[in-house]
Amino acid sequence: MTRGVQGDGFISYTGKLTAKPAEVQNHSSPTDDELRLRRSQGHYAFTILATDAENDPLTYSIIGENRFYFSVNPTTGDVTVKSPLDREVRKTLIVILDDANDNRPIFVDAPFNKDVLENAAVDTVLFQVTARDADYGLASLVSYKIDDVVPNDGMSLFSISERTGEVKLIGSLNYTSKSTFYQLKINASDGGGPLLDSHVLQSSSAFAFITVIDVPDLPPQFLNLPYSTTVNEQTAVGFSVFQVRAIDPDTGVHGKILFSIKNSNAPDLFEIDKESGIISVKTMFDREDLLHVDAIVKLQVMASETKPNIHGDISNTTADVQLNIGDINDNKPQFYSCEPACNFSAEAWQFTGSINEHSSVGVPVGGLNILARDLDEGVNARFELHLQGPDKDAFYVSPPSATLSSPVQILIKNPSDVDYEKKQTMILEVVAMDTFKTEDCCSTATVTIQIKDINDNSPAFKNETYYLEVDEHSRTGKIVATITATDPDTEDVGKISYRLLPESILKYFDVHPKTGRIKVKDSGLLDREIRAVYSATLQATDNAKNVGTTVLEITLRDINDETPSMARDSYIDFVKEVSGAELQLQIQAFDGDEPGTNNSKIQYRIERSNFSGNFTINANTGLLKNKGPLDREAIDPSANGVIHLNVTAFDMGHPSLSSWVTVTINVEDINDNTPKFKSPSYEFFVKESEKGAFVGSVFARDLDQTEMNNRISFRIADGSFGNFIIIAYFEGKDQGYMGNITVDPDVELNYERHRKSYNLKVEATDLGQKIDVITVMVHVIDVNDERPTLPDVVMMNIKENTTGLGEVGRVVGADLDTSHSLVYNLLTTTCRCSGVVGPCEEEWFRLEATGAVVMNEEFVIDYEMCDQVIMEVQAVDVFTEKGENHSIPGKLVINIDDINDNIPQFIISDTMALIAATKATVHIMEIVQESQEERASAVTLLGAYFVYPNGSAVNSDNVERILQEDLYYANVLRQYGLTYIVMKVFDPVLFVLIGLVASLFIVLIVMMMSLVYTQRSYRRKLKAAKAMNSAAMVSAENHKGHRPVVPGTNKYSVEGANPVLNMNIDITTDLGFDEEGSNADRISVNSLEIDMNMTEKDTVPMMMIEEEDEENTSDPRYIEPLGEALAQRDMTKGPGEMQGVVNPALNTTDL
């Protein structure tokens, strides 16, 4: 804001002005304030209070025509009275305060930071910015707009009220899919106003930083699905079986996840740690109790957040976990009764059967229906059978061993011991013993056998037991063996019929009733992996219905028909890529073929793939290990750190059968890579003077594959000097990050005044503080934006009357731009003529476009016409690209040097200031140059008389003292050019002459006084005579046409008229005074011509004070005889030259 005092003085400053006068009275004018100030010198008047928007130090000063009235403290702004104020000279000083639009709007509390929830509603007012403008009126009205938003898509999300500064949300935020941070550049502009004769709009910028706060709006998410593992039965309570993992996709919230088991097909067997997700055994369980669910426990695990989501609910999600229950040998074989069907709900200990006496070896006891069963599986289900008790030697049990389950038969071993006549009832104990278990391994059942009395001749087989073998899955109808019996009875020869017992064997094997050929009945049922040995009784019956039996033990030979079965559908494990991390994963497969044979022997191998070489597996045990440290960055980023291996389990049978399983290995990323710039250095070019200009982009990539470890931020560590900023942008997956270097929006580079190049040290840093550093060279391109400059004043001196010089000087401008072309324009030409600056009548000089100042030969330079030529010139840069192309006008001042080509002349001077200051009559006698050299001097000497009304003269010391006391008139005279005051120094001859004249004057005074006292009645007549005598001294030529003034009156004498008696007096009449006395009078008159020199720089017209003739309308020029005499003397010097000025307060009569 600029303020000024208009009138006699001018106060200039910048800021807000408050004037505090010593005494202030408000008057009726709506625009003016009247300051009534005390007149005393040094008294406090008022204070200028000013402020600056940039808090720069202020300096106060007062300039203007009448600045001598006041003085101002340049630091405090206190104004005091310097010269006494004269109301008659200046009654009122009017202070008018005008505003200028010289202040920018200033933001309050900038920069602005705001956290906004991602679910904030559209049209929500986020915050309000305020900027204040210290100007007034339209220039103080502030409007707002958003200049830029980083990232760019934020322009569609935010708006600002032009008037209120309220920033609104106009689009939907999303923490996950959109940016989490926005930078708004807000512009505040005023309404515009005048500044330095131009209409100017002022503006400023501030930054607002909006951080998007994540809200819980997404449910938890399980990692690495599906979940499957194996746990053995009878595992101890608390044993950790498996760990599920889940994250909160609301990464900005990072809500805590709690785990629970929502559902299970076998409740209360397992529990889960609510925080870690580790599933552990809750209750010890038995696999055999879970056969109704196929020994597979399925858990539905729920992951829940701890805090409500945006809808007020607790977000959760579920996942299925499959737990395969592994078998251990924890069950002993048991006996069950299978009449009519097997009852597995209760174990049986008592069985009853019957058999004919003397039955043949191998004849089974009928009616028993015993089944032995082991609830374990695989090799754990293998058991052996034997007999004990008092009659054990008469019988044997079949089969001697079995797997899983098998019917149990008691067969005759010694027929002779089975004799009805000896025993009608025989008791046996059948013992089933687990093959691989030593404790709690056996079950016992008591068998009571009733002996029947029968005919002794029965068909007989050659062997009591036949051990037969046949391949499993042999074709239907395949003959296993032909077994026949003989009967001594001749009637039974060829008449024996055969059958197989028990009935249950008939679905597997059958016998031809006449031939005794045993054959396969159903190929599909002969599966060794289900049942390896079949026991049957071959019964031969003769015509008398006598029966002979033998035992058939049919063993199924194993063929390689079972494919190895993987224990799990898939394997998942985790390993860090750090050195020393070891992976040990047990791969397990089962083969149902006969144990101990090549058909069931399993080996493992890793199928060839991209990363198979990084792992090894024990061919026999299936233990999978990594060969060395894994590098996640070697994995295709699209795989997200997951390695898939195919592990094949194959048996050694012929042909070999195999199966495979997928092993998923999650290589967990660690921050083991440093960001790397794509180029070792960069070089950019940017134009100066462009705020926020784009400089260039640097690119860096961190090979770590997770965002947590590969996120890069850029920083200019050195060399910027506050002129550049860098902002990071994500280029895309596998592309890394880009750092855009721009000029700071509040900075303009300046090629001419600042640096021409910058060596930036740019750092790329990941979240683990791993740093890569490069050098970026930024060259500033010069833009022609500097306005030319000229010296404020160029002084030249040219002698008057000079011709033929051509170029007399040159104006030389400067331009800081490297590429420029200056031409020079002449704006105005003024001349100082007779002390007044104004338009020139003649064009003495010309300015060429090259800056050359050339004399115009059409005119002659005349110092007496004008002593100074002022040319206002301007330099223009024709190459300017930006900003003003012209300089601030400069002045070329050509001083015309005087040469002594004129004789001295007197001019009329205005001596009112001298008269007012000294209160004396001032007669100017001469005006001459101080020096008579050829070149005119700048100092002019003015000779003058200063005479008081009492006749005494004033010397130079008195005049100087008077002007020191009266500062007002001293300043006026200084404006007229007063330099110094001295007494004129006379030579000795002149002093002698002056002394003689003074002596004569004293004699004349004595004589006059004596005559006055002796002839009082003729006093006036005497005075008239003296005046007439003085006038007679003037030359006759100059005397013509003038009538002398009658002393003491305002009448002129006419033809010797007596002023007292109104009678004509002959001027030649002798009044009684001799010639000598008249001469004395003349001497007394001439004695007034004592020279006193006074120099004055500039002469000004003085007022001529004359008395008006009461009777004659003609305008007499003089009213005093002395003045007349002096005037006549001056007329001898020529017309238009020096004339005297008379003080009307003093007359010759008084003298």
Side-chain angles (χ1 to χ4, degrees):
M1 182 181 296
T2 302
R3 294 288 185 267
V5 176
Q6 295 184 353
D8 294 336
F10 183 80
I11 303 173
S12 67
Y13 54 91
T14 300
K16 180 180 180 182
L17 178 140
T18 304
K20 298 175 64 178
E23 299 177 16
V24 179
Q25 289 184 347
N26 295 329
H27 61 71
S28 59
S29 172
T31 59
D32 300 336
D33 285 336
E34 181 178 351
L35 309 181
R36 301 186 182 277
L37 306 177
R38 296 188 178 94
R39 294 169 51 88
S40 59
Q41 185 175 357
H43 190 273
Y44 169 77
F46 56 90
T47 297
I48 303 171
L49 298 180
T51 60
D52 183 81
E54 290 79 18
N55 294 319
D56 293 332
L58 302 179
T59 301
Y60 302 89
S61 63
I62 299 177
I63 62 174
E65 180 181 358
N66 290 328
R67 61 186 179 276
F68 54 81
Y69 283 128
F70 302 100
S71 64
V72 61
N73 187 308
T75 303
T76 65
D78 292 339
V79 179
T80 57
V81 177
K82 180 178 180 183
S83 299
L85 301 176
D86 191 345
R87 183 181 182 280
E88 288 69 30
V89 176
R90 175 66 66 185
K91 296 180 180 180
T92 304
L93 291 176
I94 298 176
V95 178
I96 299 176
L97 307 181
D98 292 326
D99 187 26
N101 189 17
D102 58 346
N103 287 284
R104 296 184 302 167
I106 302 300
F107 281 92
V108 179
D109 299 330
F112 305 96
N113 295 280
K114 182 66 177 178
D115 293 341
V116 181
L117 297 178
E118 66 169 322
N119 64 335
V122 175
D123 290 332
T124 298
V125 176
L126 303 182
F127 57 92
Q128 184 176 16
V129 300
T130 301
R132 295 190 176 96
D133 195 312
D135 295 317
Y136 296 93
L138 185 61
S140 67
L141 298 179
V142 180
S143 59
Y144 305 90
K145 65 177 181 179
I146 297 176
D147 282 346
D148 188 27
V149 179
V150 177
N152 291 333
D153 58 2
M155 289 296 291
S156 62
L157 297 178
F158 305 98
S159 69
I160 189 170
S161 172
E162 183 179 0
R163 291 303 177 195
T164 65
E166 289 183 343
V167 177
K168 283 187 177 181
L169 181 67
I170 59 173
S172 298
L173 301 174
N174 192 299
Y175 186 91
T176 306
S177 61
K178 295 182 181 179
S179 178
T180 61
F181 178 81
Y182 296 92
Q183 174 183 289
L184 279 64
K185 182 179 181 183
I186 299 176
N187 177 282
S189 302
D190 60 19
L195 178 63
L196 301 177
D197 300 326
S198 300
H199 186 80
V200 176
L201 288 173
Q202 297 275 19
S203 65
S204 62
S205 298
F207 287 94
F209 303 96
I210 297 177
T211 301
V212 180
I213 304 301
D214 196 11
V215 298
D217 58 347
L218 296 174
Q221 179 179 340
F222 281 98
L223 300 177
N224 303 316
L225 291 173
Y227 296 136
S228 177
T229 190
T230 299
V231 57
N232 289 332
E233 61 178 334
Q234 304 301 328
T235 300
V237 174
F239 178 80
S240 297
V241 177
F242 192 74
Q243 182 179 17
V244 297
R245 296 179 181 179
I247 62 170
D248 185 355
D250 297 312
T251 56
V253 177
H254 291 297
K256 187 176 182 181
I257 304 297
L258 298 181
F259 300 93
S260 62
I261 297 176
K262 184 178 181 182
N263 196 8
S264 174
N265 63 347
D268 298 325
L269 296 184
F270 298 93
E271 61 183 358
I272 188 170
D273 186 277
K274 64 179 181 179
E275 293 187 355
S276 65
I278 295 176
I279 298 173
S280 59
V281 177
K282 180 179 181 183
T283 304
M284 189 175 292
F285 53 87
D286 192 346
R287 174 186 170 278
E288 288 69 34
D289 295 335
L290 300 174
L291 295 178
H292 63 285
V293 292
D294 297 326
I296 298 175
V297 178
K298 294 183 179 179
L299 304 179
Q300 187 180 41
V301 177
M302 181 168 67
S304 304
E305 297 182 2
T306 58
K307 296 181 180 179
N309 59 17
I310 59 175
H311 305 296
D313 302 326
I314 299 298
S315 296
N316 60 74
T317 188
T318 61
D320 292 331
V321 178
Q322 178 176 308
L323 303 177
N324 301 303
I325 308 303
D327 182 52
I328 63 173
N329 196 357
D330 61 340
N331 289 281
K332 63 184 180 180
Q334 293 178 330
F335 294 102
Y336 300 91
S337 176
C338 291
E339 184 181 2
C342 294
N343 181 15
F344 294 114
S345 62
E347 183 179 359
W349 291 279
Q350 298 289 334
F351 296 92
T352 300
S354 64
I355 192 170
N356 294 325
E357 65 175 332
H358 303 300
S359 293
S360 299
V361 174
V363 174
V365 177
L368 291 180
N369 297 314
I370 302 174
L371 180 72
R373 182 186 185 193
D374 192 327
L375 295 179
D376 295 319
E377 67 175 356
V379 295
N380 294 330
R382 190 171 183 82
F383 57 90
E384 296 175 354
L385 299 170
H386 66 273
L387 298 177
Q388 64 183 18
D391 299 318
K392 66 180 180 63
D393 294 333
F395 300 93
Y396 68 95
V397 65
S398 178
S401 64
T403 302
L404 292 178
S405 66
S406 177
V408 178
Q409 290 182 327
I410 306 298
L411 300 101
I412 291 179
K413 180 179 181 183
N414 295 313
S416 59
D417 293 338
V418 182
D419 189 348
Y420 180 84
E421 287 70 25
K422 294 179 181 180
K423 285 185 177 180
Q424 289 77 35
T425 302
M426 302 182 77
I427 298 176
L428 302 174
E429 289 182 348
V430 182
V431 179
M433 182 178 65
D434 194 305
T435 304
F436 301 104
K437 193 174 182 182
T438 58
E439 296 181 0
D440 193 21
C441 61
C442 304
S443 295
T444 301
T446 300
V447 179
T448 301
I449 303 173
Q450 302 295 327
I451 306 300
K452 296 178 181 181
D453 186 16
I454 61 170
N455 192 322
D456 293 335
N457 294 314
S458 299
F461 291 95
K462 183 178 180 180
N463 298 320
E464 293 182 357
T465 302
Y466 291 87
Y467 295 97
L468 307 179
E469 291 184 353
V470 66
D471 291 340
E472 61 177 327
H473 299 301
S474 293
R475 61 180 176 81
T476 300
K478 177 179 176 62
I479 296 175
V480 178
T482 300
I483 300 175
T484 60
T486 59
D487 193 322
D489 297 327
T490 56
E491 61 178 314
D492 294 329
V493 175
K495 302 281 182 75
I496 298 174
S497 61
Y498 300 93
R499 60 176 293 203
L500 286 177
L501 296 173
E503 294 291 332
S504 59
I505 200 67
L506 296 180
K507 61 182 179 180
Y508 303 104
F509 301 96
D510 201 0
V511 64
H512 192 279
K514 296 300 183 181
T515 64
R517 288 192 187 97
I518 300 170
K519 61 181 179 181
V520 176
K521 188 174 183 180
D522 190 342
S523 173
L525 296 179
L526 297 184
D527 189 348
R528 195 211 66 81
E529 287 70 35
I530 296 177
R531 187 173 178 180
V533 178
Y534 294 87
S535 295
T537 298
L538 178 59
Q539 187 181 74
T541 305
D542 60 14
N543 288 332
K545 303 300 180 184
N546 292 320
V547 176
T549 61
T550 187
V551 175
L552 303 181
E553 188 170 305
I554 304 174
T555 301
L556 298 183
R557 287 193 300 267
D558 185 38
I559 65 171
N560 195 16
D561 63 338
E562 289 292 322
T563 301
S565 175
M566 291 293 180
R568 293 168 58 177
D569 295 334
S570 63
Y571 289 86
I572 300 175
D573 208 345
F574 297 84
V575 61
K576 293 185 180 296
E577 62 173 331
V578 65
S579 176
E582 184 176 356
L583 172 71
Q584 289 191 351
L585 182 60
Q586 181 65 54
I587 309 298
Q588 190 174 17
F590 303 97
D591 194 311
D593 290 319
E594 184 174 2
T597 66
N598 287 340
N599 290 339
S600 62
K601 184 178 180 180
I602 297 176
Q603 290 196 335
Y604 302 88
R605 68 170 180 266
I606 302 173
E607 297 299 331
R608 184 179 298 277
S609 64
N610 290 337
F611 297 97
S612 59
N614 297 93
F615 300 90
T616 182
I617 190 169
N618 188 301
N620 295 318
T621 64
L623 183 62
L624 179 68
K625 294 182 179 181
N626 56 311
K627 286 184 177 179
L630 301 175
D631 185 3
R632 169 149 179 165
E633 286 67 45
I635 304 172
D636 190 331
S638 63
N640 200 24
V642 177
I643 296 176
H644 294 289
L645 299 177
N646 289 331
V647 175
T648 298
F650 58 94
D651 60 27
M652 304 302 291
H654 184 79
S656 178
L657 299 179
S658 64
S659 62
W660 59 272
V661 67
T662 300
V663 178
T664 300
I665 300 171
N666 293 279
V667 181
E668 298 179 338
D669 188 35
I670 64 171
N671 193 349
D672 60 342
N673 286 280
T674 300
K676 293 294 182 183
F677 284 95
K678 294 184 179 179
S679 177
S681 63
Y682 293 85
E683 185 175 18
F684 301 120
F685 296 85
V686 62
K687 290 185 177 181
E688 64 169 328
S689 304
E690 292 186 15
K691 291 184 177 181
F694 175 75
V695 177
S697 299
V698 297
F699 300 89
R701 183 185 177 194
D702 192 316
L703 294 179
D704 291 317
Q705 291 190 356
T706 57
E707 183 179 1
M708 180 63 68
N709 294 328
N710 67 17
R711 179 178 290 181
I712 296 175
S713 61
F714 296 96
R715 183 175 77 95
I716 301 177
D718 192 22
S720 171
F721 302 100
N723 294 320
F724 302 93
I725 62 175
I726 186 169
I727 299 177
Y729 294 92
F730 182 56
E731 281 282 270
K733 193 172 183 180
D734 303 331
Q735 298 300 315
Y737 287 79
M738 173 179 65
N740 283 347
I741 302 175
T742 60
V743 179
D744 191 294
D746 293 326
V747 171
E748 287 188 3
L749 300 179
N750 193 307
Y751 180 89
E752 293 76 20
R753 294 177 175 83
H754 300 153
R755 304 174 67 90
K756 295 177 174 56
S757 64
Y758 294 83
N759 193 357
L760 306 183
K761 179 181 177 183
V762 179
E763 295 179 351
T765 308
D766 63 14
L767 296 181
Q769 299 305 309
K770 295 181 182 295
I771 298 175
D772 189 22
V773 181
I774 61 166
T775 299
V776 177
M777 178 63 68
V778 179
H779 300 280
V780 181
I781 301 175
D782 185 25
V783 174
N784 194 322
D785 59 345
E786 296 290 333
R787 65 187 304 178
T789 59
L790 287 175
D792 294 337
V793 178
V794 177
M795 305 293 293
M796 297 175 57
N797 290 78
I798 303 295
K799 290 184 179 181
E800 65 173 328
N801 300 329
T802 301
T803 58
L805 292 182
E807 180 180 334
V808 297
R810 182 173 292 273
V811 178
V812 179
D815 195 315
L816 297 177
D817 294 311
T818 54
S819 176
H820 62 269
S821 177
L822 301 184
V823 297
Y824 301 87
N825 295 334
L826 178 61
L827 302 180
T828 60
T829 303
T830 55
C831 295
R832 188 175 70 187
C833 304
S834 301
V836 179
V837 177
C840 297
E841 295 183 3
E842 298 178 353
E843 185 183 7
W844 290 349
F845 303 97
R846 295 194 309 268
L847 178 67
E848 302 291 342
T850 61
V853 181
V854 180
M855 292 183 60
N856 189 349
E857 300 296 337
E858 297 179 7
F859 302 99
V860 176
I861 302 173
D862 188 357
Y863 173 86
E864 286 69 33
M865 180 177 179
C866 297
D867 61 355
Q868 191 178 75
V869 178
I870 303 170
M871 304 175 71
E872 187 177 31
V873 300
Q874 188 178 66
V876 178
D877 186 356
V878 297
F879 289 171
T880 297
E881 302 175 53
K882 181 180 180 181
E884 297 182 350
N885 67 341
H886 58 273
S887 68
I888 297 174
K891 288 186 178 181
L892 172 62
V893 179
I894 304 176
N895 293 309
I896 307 302
D897 292 339
D898 186 32
I899 63 175
N900 198 356
D901 61 343
N902 290 286
I903 62 174
Q905 294 181 349
F906 292 105
I907 61 174
I908 300 175
S909 302
D910 188 349
T911 58
M912 286 299 296
L914 291 172
I915 295 172
T918 60
K919 305 299 189 293
T921 300
V922 178
H923 289 282
I924 298 175
M925 302 307 299
E926 61 180 352
I927 300 176
V928 296
Q929 296 177 199
E930 184 179 42
S931 173
Q932 295 301 319
E933 297 177 359
E934 180 180 351
R935 176 168 294 188
S937 172
V939 178
T940 302
L941 301 179
L942 182 146
Y945 291 109
F946 293 82
V947 183
Y948 281 132
N950 59 6
S952 61
V954 183
N955 60 24
S956 62
D957 294 336
N958 292 334
V959 173
E960 188 170 3
R961 178 181 56 77
I962 292 170
L963 294 180
Q964 288 176 350
E965 294 176 354
D966 194 334
L967 295 178
Y968 172 74
Y969 288 110
N971 283 314
V972 172
L973 290 174
R974 288 191 185 96
Q975 291 179 354
Y976 292 149
L978 175 62
T979 304
Y980 58 87
I981 302 172
V982 297
M983 287 290 293
K984 187 173 182 181
V985 181
F986 299 95
D987 56 32
V989 177
L990 183 59
F991 274 111
V992 173
L993 293 177
I994 292 175
L996 292 176
V997 173
S999 300
L1000 292 175
F1001 181 74
I1002 293 172
V1003 173
L1004 178 60
I1005 291 299
V1006 173
M1007 293 178 64
M1008 287 175 60
M1009 294 303 295
S1010 63
L1011 289 175
V1012 168
Y1013 285 112
T1014 57
Q1015 298 181 9
R1016 188 178 299 274
S1017 61
Y1018 296 99
R1019 183 177 180 180
R1020 291 177 60 86
K1021 188 176 184 179
L1022 178 60
K1023 292 181 178 180
K1026 289 180 180 180
M1028 294 301 293
N1029 196 16
S1030 299
M1033 296 174 62
V1034 182
S1035 66
E1037 182 181 355
N1038 293 332
H1039 186 68
K1040 291 180 181 181
H1042 295 276
R1043 293 176 294 173
V1045 179
V1046 178
T1049 70
N1050 60 352
K1051 303 294 185 179
Y1052 294 96
S1053 61
V1054 290
E1055 299 300 330
N1058 190 322
V1060 179
L1061 304 176
N1062 198 21
M1063 297 176 60
N1064 290 335
I1065 301 176
D1066 188 355
I1067 61 174
T1068 61
T1069 303
D1070 187 5
L1071 297 179
F1073 305 101
D1074 55 31
E1075 182 72 16
E1076 189 175 351
S1078 299
N1079 291 336
D1081 290 341
R1082 287 193 290 270
I1083 292 174
S1084 68
V1085 174
N1086 292 333
S1087 66
L1088 298 177
E1089 297 181 9
I1090 299 175
D1091 293 336
M1092 295 179 64
N1093 292 334
M1094 178 177 178
T1095 63
E1096 185 171 319
K1097 185 175 182 179
D1098 294 320
T1099 59
V1100 295
M1102 303 295 291
M1103 293 178 60
M1104 304 298 296
I1105 302 176
E1106 301 177 351
E1107 288 197 43
E1108 194 177 24
D1109 192 350
E1110 297 177 358
E1111 297 179 358
N1112 197 339
T1113 59
S1114 63
D1115 206 1
R1117 188 169 181 83
Y1118 302 101
I1119 60 173
E1120 279 285 73
L1122 179 58
E1124 175 69 12
L1126 293 175
Q1128 294 299 332
R1129 179 180 179 275
D1130 291 339
M1131 289 177 62
T1132 63
K1133 301 179 181 181
E1137 298 181 6
M1138 187 61 204
Q1139 298 181 1
V1141 179
V1142 180
N1143 186 352
L1146 180 67
N1147 55 43
T1148 310
T1149 304
D1150 295 330
L1151 287 174

